[in-house]
Amino acid sequence: QVQLVQSGGGLVQAGGSLRLSCAASGRTISSSAMGWFRQAPGKEREFVATINWIGSNTYHADSVKGRFTISRDNAKNTLFLQMNSLKPEDTAVYYCALRSGGGYSYNPRSYDYWGQGTQVTVSS
């Protein structure tokens, strides 16, 4: 069974930066695409970024493009999300996810395992 354990959330002022991590255990992530999603209060879960199995292809939502960067370290079985120039509208619970296929996807239904979620709050 795969477990995804997230870390790195918190409170930051607008314009600041945070780095989220998602450490996998139970199996190697090296053959799996992964992604980040977020959910704000009263809203549906929203796609943020995705990366293919080897890290050669990434795709970011328009709302975060140029500010957020998804990356992975397969040797450490870990996924990252670097968030710069944070805005109050980025406030949400962020989730990492893993899908069995190697190609990336922005569809949350295509993911098989999810992290526990981590709160990111951006103050104005």
Side-chain angles (χ1 to χ4, degrees):
Q1 185 74 5
V2 178
Q3 283 193 321
L4 302 177
V5 178
Q6 299 178 222
S7 60
L11 173 65
V12 65
Q13 288 188 333
S17 298
L18 284 173
R19 189 191 197 201
L20 303 184
S21 298
C22 174
S25 62
R27 64 175 263 190
T28 177
I29 67 169
S30 59
S31 60
S32 302
M34 300 191 72
W36 288 98
F37 296 80
R38 66 187 182 187
Q39 189 166 17
K43 294 188 177 181
E44 293 187 353
R45 191 163 297 190
E46 174 189 28
F47 165 74
V48 175
T50 181
I51 187 168
N52 72 337
W53 67 280
I54 200 173
S56 59
N57 289 314
T58 62
Y59 182 73
H60 297 77
D62 288 344
S63 58
V64 306
K65 200 170 292 182
R67 301 187 297 122
F68 291 12
T69 303
I70 188 172
S71 63
R72 65 192 296 160
D73 186 337
N74 286 348
K76 294 182 178 179
N77 236 28
T78 303
L79 176 74
F80 303 99
L81 184 69
Q82 178 66 43
M83 306 185 292
N84 299 328
S85 302
L86 281 159
K87 303 175 180 180
E89 51 263 44
D90 294 319
T91 296
V93 176
Y94 283 71
Y95 297 90
C96 64
L98 179 148
R99 63 188 303 261
S100 298
Y104 66 53
S105 171
Y106 55 82
N107 183 353
R109 295 187 182 88
S110 67
Y111 288 81
D112 304 296
Y113 301 96
W114 291 83
Q116 81 277 18
T118 186
Q119 178 70 46
V120 171
T121 303
V122 184
S123 63
S124 57

